[in-house]
Coordinates of all heavy atoms in Angstrom, one line a residue:
A211 N -53.6 -73.5 -78.3 CA -52.4 -73.5 -77.5 C -52.6 -74.0 -76.2 O -53.6 -73.8 -75.5 CB -52.0 -72.0 -77.4
A212 N -51.5 -74.9 -75.7 CA -51.7 -75.5 -74.4 C -50.3 -75.8 -73.8 O -49.4 -76.4 -74.5 CB -52.6 -76.8 -74.6
F213 N -50.1 -75.5 -72.5 CA -48.9 -75.8 -71.9 C -49.0 -75.9 -70.4 O -50.0 -75.4 -69.8 CB -47.8 -74.7 -72.3 CG -48.2 -73.3 -71.9 CD1 -47.8 -72.8 -70.8 CD2 -48.9 -72.6 -72.9 CE1 -48.1 -71.3 -70.4 CE2 -49.2 -71.3 -72.7 CZ -48.9 -70.6 -71.4
D214 N -48.1 -76.5 -69.8 CA -48.1 -76.7 -68.3 C -47.3 -75.6 -67.6 O -46.4 -74.9 -68.2 CB -47.3 -78.0 -68.0 CG -48.1 -79.3 -68.4 OD1 -49.2 -79.1 -68.9 OD2 -47.6 -80.4 -68.2
V215 N -47.7 -75.3 -66.4 CA -47.0 -74.3 -65.6 C -46.6 -75.0 -64.3 O -47.5 -75.7 -63.6 CB -48.0 -73.2 -65.2 CG1 -47.3 -72.2 -64.2 CG2 -48.4 -72.4 -66.5
S216 N -45.4 -75.0 -63.9 CA -44.8 -75.7 -62.8 C -44.3 -74.7 -61.7 O -43.2 -74.1 -61.9 CB -43.7 -76.7 -63.2 OG -43.2 -77.3 -62.0
A217 N -45.1 -74.5 -60.6 CA -44.7 -73.7 -59.5 C -45.3 -74.3 -58.2 O -45.5 -73.6 -57.2 CB -45.1 -72.2 -59.7
V218 N -45.4 -75.6 -58.2 CA -45.9 -76.4 -57.1 C -47.2 -75.7 -56.7 O -48.1 -75.5 -57.5 CB -44.9 -76.5 -56.0 CG1 -45.3 -77.7 -55.1 CG2 -43.5 -76.9 -56.6
C219 N -47.3 -75.4 -55.3 CA -48.6 -75.0 -54.9 C -49.0 -73.5 -55.3 O -50.1 -73.1 -55.1 CB -48.6 -75.1 -53.2 SG -48.3 -76.8 -52.7
T220 N -48.0 -72.8 -55.7 CA -48.3 -71.4 -56.2 C -48.7 -71.5 -57.7 O -49.0 -70.5 -58.3 CB -47.1 -70.5 -56.1 OG1 -46.5 -70.7 -54.9 CG2 -47.5 -69.1 -56.3
G221 N -48.7 -72.7 -58.3 CA -48.8 -72.9 -59.8 C -50.1 -72.3 -60.3 O -50.0 -71.6 -61.4
F222 N -51.2 -72.4 -59.6 CA -52.4 -71.8 -60.2 C -52.4 -70.3 -60.2 O -52.8 -69.7 -61.3 CB -53.6 -72.2 -59.3 CG -54.9 -71.8 -59.8 CD1 -55.5 -72.3 -60.9 CD2 -55.6 -70.7 -59.2 CE1 -56.7 -71.9 -61.5 CE2 -56.8 -70.2 -59.7 CZ -57.4 -70.8 -60.8
V223 N -51.8 -69.6 -59.2 CA -51.7 -68.2 -59.3 C -50.8 -67.8 -60.4 O -51.0 -66.7 -61.1 CB -51.3 -67.6 -57.9 CG1 -51.1 -66.1 -58.0 CG2 -52.3 -67.9 -56.9
Y224 N -49.6 -68.5 -60.5 CA -48.7 -68.2 -61.7 C -49.5 -68.4 -63.1 O -49.2 -67.6 -63.9 CB -47.5 -69.1 -61.6 CG -46.3 -68.5 -60.8 CD1 -46.5 -68.0 -59.6 CD2 -45.0 -68.6 -61.4 CE1 -45.4 -67.5 -58.9 CE2 -44.0 -68.2 -60.7 CZ -44.2 -67.6 -59.5 OH -43.1 -67.2 -58.7
A225 N -50.2 -69.4 -63.1 CA -50.9 -69.6 -64.4 C -52.0 -68.6 -64.6 O -52.2 -68.2 -65.8 CB -51.6 -71.0 -64.4
L226 N -52.7 -68.1 -63.6 CA -53.6 -66.9 -63.8 C -52.9 -65.7 -64.3 O -53.4 -65.1 -65.2 CB -54.3 -66.6 -62.4 CG -55.3 -67.5 -61.8 CD1 -55.8 -66.9 -60.5 CD2 -56.6 -67.6 -62.8
A227 N -51.7 -65.4 -63.8 CA -51.0 -64.3 -64.3 C -50.5 -64.5 -65.7 O -50.5 -63.5 -66.5 CB -49.8 -64.1 -63.4
T228 N -50.1 -65.7 -66.1 CA -49.7 -65.9 -67.4 C -50.9 -65.8 -68.3 O -50.8 -65.2 -69.4 CB -49.2 -67.4 -67.5 OG1 -48.1 -67.5 -66.6 CG2 -48.7 -67.7 -69.0
A229 N -52.1 -66.3 -68.0 CA -53.3 -66.2 -68.8 C -53.6 -64.8 -68.9 O -54.1 -64.3 -70.0 CB -54.4 -67.0 -68.2
A230 N -53.6 -64.0 -67.8 CA -53.9 -62.6 -67.9 C -53.0 -61.8 -68.9 O -53.4 -60.9 -69.6 CB -53.9 -61.9 -66.5
G231 N -51.7 -62.2 -68.9 CA -50.8 -61.6 -69.9 C -51.2 -62.0 -71.3 O -51.1 -61.1 -72.2
L232 N -51.6 -63.1 -71.6 CA -52.0 -63.5 -72.9 C -53.2 -62.8 -73.4 O -53.3 -62.3 -74.5 CB -52.3 -65.1 -73.0 CG -51.2 -66.1 -72.8 CD1 -51.8 -67.5 -72.7 CD2 -50.2 -65.9 -73.9
I233 N -54.1 -62.5 -72.4 CA -55.3 -61.7 -72.8 C -54.9 -60.2 -72.9 O -55.4 -59.6 -73.9 CB -56.4 -61.9 -71.7 CG1 -57.0 -63.3 -71.8 CG2 -57.4 -60.9 -71.8 CD1 -57.9 -63.7 -70.7
A234 N -54.1 -59.7 -72.1 CA -53.8 -58.3 -72.2 C -53.0 -57.9 -73.4 O -53.2 -56.9 -74.1 CB -52.8 -57.9 -71.0
T235 N -52.3 -58.9 -74.0 CA -51.5 -58.6 -75.2 C -52.4 -58.9 -76.5 O -51.9 -58.6 -77.6 CB -50.2 -59.4 -75.2 OG1 -50.5 -60.8 -75.2 CG2 -49.3 -59.1 -74.1
G236 N -53.5 -59.4 -76.3 CA -54.3 -59.8 -77.4 C -53.9 -61.2 -78.1 O -54.6 -61.5 -79.1
A237 N -53.1 -61.9 -77.4 CA -52.8 -63.3 -77.9 C -53.9 -64.2 -77.7 O -53.9 -65.3 -78.4 CB -51.5 -63.8 -77.2
A238 N -54.8 -64.0 -76.8 CA -55.9 -64.8 -76.5 C -57.1 -64.0 -76.1 O -56.9 -63.0 -75.5 CB -55.6 -65.9 -75.4
E239 N -58.3 -64.4 -76.5 CA -59.6 -63.8 -76.0 C -60.1 -64.5 -74.8 O -60.7 -63.9 -73.9 CB -60.6 -63.8 -77.1 CG -60.3 -62.9 -78.3 CD -60.3 -61.5 -77.8 OE1 -61.1 -61.0 -77.1 OE2 -59.3 -60.7 -78.3
R240 N -60.0 -65.9 -74.8 CA -60.5 -66.7 -73.7 C -59.4 -67.7 -73.3 O -58.8 -68.3 -74.3 CB -61.7 -67.4 -74.1 CG -62.9 -66.5 -74.5 CD -64.2 -67.2 -75.0 NE -64.8 -67.8 -73.8 CZ -65.8 -67.2 -73.2 NH1 -66.0 -65.9 -73.4 NH2 -66.2 -67.8 -72.1
V241 N -59.2 -68.0 -72.1 CA -58.3 -69.0 -71.6 C -58.9 -69.9 -70.5 O -59.5 -69.4 -69.6 CB -57.0 -68.3 -71.0 CG1 -55.9 -69.3 -70.6 CG2 -56.4 -67.3 -72.1
L242 N -58.6 -71.1 -70.6 CA -59.0 -72.1 -69.6 C -57.7 -72.3 -68.7 O -56.7 -72.8 -69.1 CB -59.5 -73.4 -70.2 CG -59.7 -74.5 -69.3 CD1 -60.8 -74.3 -68.3 CD2 -60.1 -75.9 -70.0
V243 N -57.9 -72.1 -67.4 CA -56.7 -72.2 -66.5 C -57.2 -73.3 -65.5 O -58.2 -73.2 -64.8 CB -56.4 -71.0 -65.7 CG1 -55.2 -71.2 -64.8 CG2 -56.1 -69.8 -66.7
I244 N -56.3 -74.4 -65.4 CA -56.6 -75.6 -64.6 C -55.5 -75.8 -63.6 O -54.3 -75.6 -63.9 CB -56.8 -76.8 -65.4 CG1 -57.8 -76.6 -66.5 CG2 -57.2 -78.0 -64.5 CD1 -58.0 -77.8 -67.5
G245 N -55.8 -76.1 -62.3 CA -54.8 -76.7 -61.4 C -55.3 -78.2 -61.1 O -56.4 -78.3 -60.7
A246 N -54.4 -79.0 -61.3 CA -54.7 -80.5 -61.1 C -53.6 -81.2 -60.6 O -52.4 -81.0 -61.0 CB -55.2 -81.1 -62.5
E247 N -53.8 -82.1 -59.6 CA -52.7 -82.8 -59.0 C -53.2 -84.3 -58.6 O -54.4 -84.5 -58.2 CB -52.3 -82.2 -57.7 CG -51.8 -80.7 -57.8 CD -50.4 -80.6 -58.4 OE1 -49.8 -81.6 -58.9 OE2 -49.9 -79.5 -58.2
T248 N -52.3 -85.2 -58.7 CA -52.4 -86.5 -58.1 C -51.2 -86.7 -57.2 O -50.4 -87.4 -57.4 CB -52.5 -87.6 -59.1 OG1 -51.4 -87.5 -60.0 CG2 -53.8 -87.6 -59.9
F249 N -51.3 -85.9 -56.1 CA -50.1 -85.8 -55.2 C -49.9 -87.1 -54.4 O -48.8 -87.3 -53.9 CB -50.3 -84.6 -54.2 CG -49.1 -83.7 -54.2 CD1 -48.8 -82.8 -55.2 CD2 -48.2 -83.7 -53.1 CE1 -47.7 -82.0 -55.2 CE2 -47.0 -82.9 -53.1 CZ -46.9 -82.0 -54.1
S250 N -50.9 -87.9 -54.3 CA -50.8 -89.2 -53.6 C -49.7 -90.0 -54.2 O -49.1 -90.9 -53.6 CB -52.1 -89.9 -53.6 OG -52.5 -90.2 -55.0
T251 N -49.3 -89.8 -55.5 CA -48.4 -90.6 -56.2 C -47.0 -90.2 -55.8 O -46.0 -91.0 -56.1 CB -48.5 -90.4 -57.8 OG1 -48.3 -89.0 -58.1 CG2 -49.9 -90.8 -58.3
L252 N -46.8 -89.1 -55.1 CA -45.5 -88.6 -54.6 C -45.2 -88.9 -53.2 O -44.2 -88.7 -52.6 CB -45.4 -87.1 -54.8 CG -45.5 -86.6 -56.3 CD1 -45.3 -85.1 -56.3 CD2 -44.4 -87.2 -57.2
L253 N -46.2 -89.5 -52.4 CA -46.2 -89.5 -51.0 C -45.6 -90.9 -50.5 O -45.9 -91.9 -51.1 CB -47.5 -89.4 -50.3 CG -48.2 -88.0 -50.7 CD1 -49.6 -88.0 -50.0 CD2 -47.4 -86.9 -50.2
D254 N -44.7 -90.7 -49.6 CA -44.2 -92.0 -48.9 C -45.3 -92.5 -47.9 O -45.6 -91.7 -46.9 CB -42.9 -91.7 -48.1 CG -42.4 -92.8 -47.3 OD1 -43.0 -93.9 -47.2 OD2 -41.2 -92.7 -46.8
P255 N -45.9 -93.6 -48.1 CA -47.1 -94.0 -47.3 C -46.6 -94.2 -45.7 O -47.5 -94.2 -44.9 CB -47.6 -95.3 -47.9 CG -46.3 -95.8 -48.6 CD -45.7 -94.6 -49.1
G256 N -45.4 -94.3 -45.5 CA -45.0 -94.4 -44.1 C -44.5 -93.1 -43.4 O -44.2 -93.2 -42.2
D257 N -44.6 -92.0 -44.1 CA -44.2 -90.7 -43.7 C -45.4 -90.0 -43.1 O -46.1 -89.4 -43.8 CB -43.5 -90.0 -44.8 CG -42.9 -88.6 -44.3 OD1 -43.2 -88.2 -43.1 OD2 -42.3 -87.9 -45.0
R258 N -45.4 -90.0 -41.7 CA -46.5 -89.3 -41.1 C -46.6 -87.8 -41.3 O -47.7 -87.2 -41.3 CB -46.5 -89.5 -39.6 CG -47.7 -89.0 -38.8 CD -47.7 -89.5 -37.4 NE -46.6 -88.9 -36.6 CZ -46.6 -89.0 -35.2 NH1 -47.5 -89.6 -34.6 NH2 -45.5 -88.4 -34.6
S259 N -45.4 -87.2 -41.6 CA -45.4 -85.7 -41.7 C -45.9 -85.2 -43.0 O -46.3 -84.1 -43.2 CB -43.9 -85.3 -41.5 OG -43.2 -85.7 -42.6
T260 N -46.0 -86.1 -44.1 CA -46.5 -85.7 -45.3 C -47.7 -86.4 -45.9 O -48.7 -85.9 -46.5 CB -45.5 -85.8 -46.4 OG1 -45.0 -87.1 -46.6 CG2 -44.2 -84.9 -46.1
S261 N -47.9 -87.7 -45.5 CA -48.9 -88.5 -46.0 C -50.3 -88.2 -45.6 O -51.3 -88.5 -46.2 CB -48.6 -90.1 -45.9 OG -48.6 -90.3 -44.5
V262 N -50.4 -87.4 -44.4 CA -51.7 -87.0 -43.9 C -52.1 -85.7 -44.5 O -53.3 -85.3 -44.2 CB -51.7 -87.0 -42.3 CG1 -51.2 -88.3 -41.8 CG2 -50.7 -85.9 -41.9
I263 N -51.3 -85.0 -45.2 CA -51.6 -83.7 -45.5 C -52.2 -83.5 -46.9 O -53.1 -82.8 -47.1 CB -50.3 -82.8 -45.5 CG1 -49.7 -82.7 -44.1 CG2 -50.6 -81.4 -46.0 CD1 -48.4 -82.0 -44.0
F264 N -51.7 -84.3 -47.8 CA -52.0 -84.1 -49.3 C -53.2 -85.0 -49.8 O -53.4 -86.1 -49.3 CB -50.8 -84.3 -50.1 CG -49.8 -83.3 -49.9 CD1 -48.7 -83.5 -48.9 CD2 -49.7 -82.1 -50.6 CE1 -47.7 -82.5 -48.7 CE2 -48.8 -81.1 -50.4 CZ -47.8 -81.3 -49.4
G265 N -53.9 -84.4 -50.8 CA -54.9 -85.1 -51.4 C -54.8 -84.9 -53.0 O -54.1 -84.0 -53.4
D266 N -55.8 -85.5 -53.7 CA -55.8 -85.3 -55.2 C -57.1 -84.6 -55.6 O -58.1 -84.6 -54.9 CB -55.9 -86.8 -55.8 CG -54.6 -87.6 -55.5 OD1 -53.6 -87.0 -55.1 OD2 -54.7 -88.8 -55.6
G267 N -57.0 -83.9 -56.7 CA -58.1 -83.2 -57.2 C -57.8 -82.2 -58.2 O -56.6 -82.0 -58.6
A268 N -58.8 -81.5 -58.8 CA -58.5 -80.5 -59.8 C -59.5 -79.4 -59.8 O -60.8 -79.7 -59.4 CB -58.6 -81.1 -61.2
G269 N -59.2 -78.2 -60.1 CA -60.1 -77.1 -60.2 C -59.7 -76.2 -61.4 O -58.5 -76.3 -61.8
A270 N -60.6 -75.5 -61.9 CA -60.4 -74.7 -63.1 C -61.3 -73.5 -63.2 O -62.3 -73.4 -62.5 CB -60.8 -75.6 -64.3
V271 N -60.7 -72.5 -63.9 CA -61.5 -71.3 -64.2 C -61.4 -70.9 -65.7 O -60.4 -71.3 -66.3 CB -61.1 -70.0 -63.3 CG1 -61.3 -70.3 -61.8 CG2 -59.7 -69.7 -63.7
V272 N -62.4 -70.3 -66.2 CA -62.3 -69.7 -67.6 C -62.2 -68.2 -67.4 O -63.0 -67.6 -66.7 CB -63.6 -70.1 -68.3 CG1 -63.5 -69.4 -69.8 CG2 -63.7 -71.6 -68.5
L273 N -61.2 -67.6 -68.2 CA -61.1 -66.2 -68.3 C -61.4 -65.7 -69.6 O -61.0 -66.4 -70.6 CB -59.6 -65.9 -67.9 CG -59.0 -66.4 -66.6 CD1 -57.6 -66.0 -66.4 CD2 -59.9 -65.9 -65.4
R274 N -62.0 -64.5 -69.7 CA -62.2 -63.9 -71.0 C -61.7 -62.5 -71.0 O -61.5 -61.9 -70.0 CB -63.7 -63.8 -71.3 CG -64.5 -63.0 -70.3 CD -65.9 -62.7 -70.9 NE -66.8 -62.0 -69.9 CZ -66.7 -60.8 -69.6 NH1 -65.9 -60.0 -70.3 NH2 -67.4 -60.2 -68.7
A275 N -61.5 -61.9 -72.2 CA -61.1 -60.5 -72.2 C -62.2 -59.6 -71.8 O -63.3 -59.8 -72.3 CB -60.6 -60.2 -73.7
G276 N -61.9 -58.6 -71.1 CA -62.9 -57.6 -70.6 C -62.3 -56.3 -70.2 O -61.2 -56.1 -70.3
D277 N -63.2 -55.6 -69.5 CA -62.8 -54.3 -68.9 C -62.2 -54.4 -67.5 O -62.8 -55.2 -66.7 CB -64.0 -53.3 -69.0 CG -63.6 -52.0 -68.6 OD1 -63.5 -51.6 -67.4 OD2 -63.4 -51.2 -69.5
P278 N -61.1 -53.7 -67.2 CA -60.6 -53.8 -65.8 C -61.5 -53.4 -64.7 O -61.4 -53.9 -63.6 CB -59.3 -52.8 -65.9 CG -59.0 -52.7 -67.3 CD -60.4 -52.8 -68.0
A279 N -62.6 -52.6 -65.0 CA -63.5 -52.1 -64.0 C -64.6 -53.1 -63.7 O -65.5 -52.9 -62.8 CB -64.0 -50.8 -64.3
E280 N -64.9 -54.1 -64.6 CA -66.0 -55.0 -64.4 C -65.8 -56.1 -63.4 O -64.6 -56.5 -63.2 CB -66.4 -55.5 -65.8 CG -65.5 -56.5 -66.4 CD -66.0 -57.1 -67.7 OE1 -67.1 -57.7 -67.6 OE2 -65.5 -56.9 -68.8
P281 N -66.9 -56.6 -62.8 CA -66.8 -57.7 -61.9 C -66.1 -58.8 -62.6 O -66.4 -59.2 -63.7 CB -68.3 -58.0 -61.5 CG -69.0 -56.7 -61.8 CD -68.3 -56.1 -63.0
G282 N -65.3 -59.5 -61.8 CA -64.6 -60.7 -62.3 C -63.2 -60.4 -62.8 O -62.4 -61.3 -63.1
A283 N -62.9 -59.1 -63.1 CA -61.6 -58.7 -63.6 C -60.5 -59.1 -62.6 O -60.6 -58.5 -61.4 CB -61.6 -57.3 -64.0
L284 N -59.5 -59.8 -63.0 CA -58.4 -60.0 -62.1 C -57.6 -58.7 -61.9 O -57.3 -58.0 -62.8 CB -57.5 -61.1 -62.6 CG -58.1 -62.5 -62.8 CD1 -57.1 -63.5 -63.3 CD2 -58.6 -63.0 -61.5
G285 N -57.3 -58.4 -60.6 CA -56.6 -57.2 -60.3 C -55.2 -57.3 -60.5 O -54.7 -58.2 -61.2
P286 N -54.3 -56.5 -59.9 CA -52.9 -56.5 -60.0 C -52.4 -57.9 -59.4 O -53.1 -58.5 -58.6 CB -52.4 -55.4 -59.3 CG -53.5 -55.0 -58.3 CD -54.7 -55.4 -59.1
F287 N -51.3 -58.4 -59.9 CA -50.6 -59.5 -59.4 C -49.4 -59.2 -58.6 O -48.7 -58.2 -58.9 CB -50.2 -60.5 -60.5 CG -51.3 -61.3 -61.1 CD1 -52.1 -60.8 -62.1 CD2 -51.7 -62.5 -60.7 CE1 -53.2 -61.4 -62.6 CE2 -52.8 -63.2 -61.2 CZ -53.5 -62.6 -62.2
D288 N -49.0 -60.0 -57.6 CA -47.7 -60.0 -57.0 C -47.2 -61.4 -57.0 O -47.8 -62.3 -56.6 CB -47.9 -59.5 -55.5 CG -46.5 -59.6 -54.8 OD1 -45.7 -58.6 -55.0 OD2 -46.2 -60.5 -54.0
L289 N -46.0 -61.6 -57.7 CA -45.4 -62.9 -57.8 C -43.9 -62.8 -57.4 O -43.2 -61.7 -57.4 CB -45.3 -63.3 -59.2 CG -46.7 -63.4 -59.9 CD1 -46.5 -63.7 -61.5 CD2 -47.6 -64.4 -59.3
G290 N -43.4 -63.9 -56.8 CA -42.1 -63.9 -56.3 C -41.5 -65.3 -56.2 O -42.2 -66.3 -56.1
S291 N -40.2 -65.4 -56.0 CA -39.5 -66.7 -55.7 C -38.3 -66.5 -55.0 O -37.7 -65.5 -54.9 CB -39.3 -67.4 -57.0 OG -38.2 -66.9 -57.7
D292 N -37.8 -67.6 -54.4 CA -36.5 -67.7 -53.8 C -35.9 -69.1 -53.9 O -36.1 -70.0 -53.1 CB -36.6 -67.4 -52.2 CG -35.3 -67.5 -51.5 OD1 -34.3 -67.6 -52.2 OD2 -35.3 -67.4 -50.3
G293 N -35.1 -69.3 -55.0 CA -34.5 -70.5 -55.4 C -33.5 -71.0 -54.4 O -33.0 -72.2 -54.4
G294 N -33.0 -70.1 -53.6 CA -32.0 -70.4 -52.6 C -32.5 -71.3 -51.5 O -31.8 -72.0 -50.8
R295 N -33.8 -71.5 -51.4 CA -34.5 -72.4 -50.4 C -35.2 -73.6 -51.1 O -36.2 -74.1 -50.7 CB -35.4 -71.7 -49.5 CG -34.8 -70.5 -48.7 CD -33.4 -70.9 -48.1 NE -33.5 -72.1 -47.3 CZ -33.7 -72.1 -45.9 NH1 -33.9 -71.0 -45.3 NH2 -33.7 -73.3 -45.3
E296 N -34.7 -74.0 -52.2 CA -35.4 -75.1 -53.0 C -35.4 -76.4 -52.2 O -36.1 -77.3 -52.5 CB -34.6 -75.3 -54.3 CG -33.1 -75.9 -54.1 CD -32.3 -76.1 -55.3 OE1 -33.0 -76.1 -56.5 OE2 -31.1 -76.4 -55.3
D297 N -34.5 -76.5 -51.2 CA -34.4 -77.8 -50.4 C -35.6 -77.9 -49.5 O -35.8 -79.0 -49.0 CB -33.1 -77.7 -49.6 CG -33.0 -76.5 -48.7 OD1 -33.2 -75.4 -49.2 OD2 -32.8 -76.7 -47.5
L298 N -36.3 -76.9 -49.2 CA -37.4 -76.9 -48.2 C -38.6 -77.8 -48.7 O -39.3 -78.4 -47.9 CB -38.0 -75.6 -47.8 CG -36.9 -74.7 -47.1 CD1 -37.6 -73.3 -46.7 CD2 -36.3 -75.4 -45.9
I299 N -38.8 -77.8 -50.0 CA -40.0 -78.5 -50.6 C -39.4 -79.2 -51.9 O -39.2 -78.5 -52.9 CB -41.2 -77.6 -50.9 CG1 -41.6 -76.9 -49.7 CG2 -42.3 -78.4 -51.6 CD1 -42.7 -75.9 -49.9
T300 N -39.4 -80.5 -51.9 CA -38.6 -81.1 -53.0 C -39.0 -82.6 -53.1 O -39.4 -83.3 -52.2 CB -37.2 -81.0 -52.8 OG1 -36.5 -81.6 -53.9 CG2 -36.7 -81.7 -51.5
V301 N -38.8 -83.1 -54.4 CA -38.7 -84.5 -54.7 C -37.4 -84.7 -55.2 O -37.1 -84.3 -56.4 CB -39.8 -85.0 -55.7 CG1 -39.7 -86.4 -56.1 CG2 -41.2 -84.7 -55.2

Side-chain angles (χ1 to χ4, degrees):
F213 56 93
D214 292 358
V215 176
S216 179
V218 198
C219 299
T220 318
F222 182 73
V223 176
Y224 268 48
L226 285 180
T228 304
L232 292 174
I233 288 173
T235 62
E239 293 294 319
R240 305 179 71 88
V241 182
L242 173 61
V243 182
I244 307 171
E247 303 281 15
T248 50
F249 232 76
S250 61
T251 61
L252 299 179
L253 301 178
D254 179 351
D257 184 354
R258 183 171 68 166
S259 66
T260 59
S261 62
V262 301
I263 297 174
F264 293 92
D266 302 337
V271 300
V272 176
L273 306 177
R274 63 164 175 82
D277 188 276
E280 69 177 295
L284 297 179
F287 284 87
D288 177 78
L289 305 174
S291 73
D292 179 6
R295 302 314 309 269
E296 62 179 351
D297 58 307
L298 295 184
I299 300 173
T300 183
V301 179

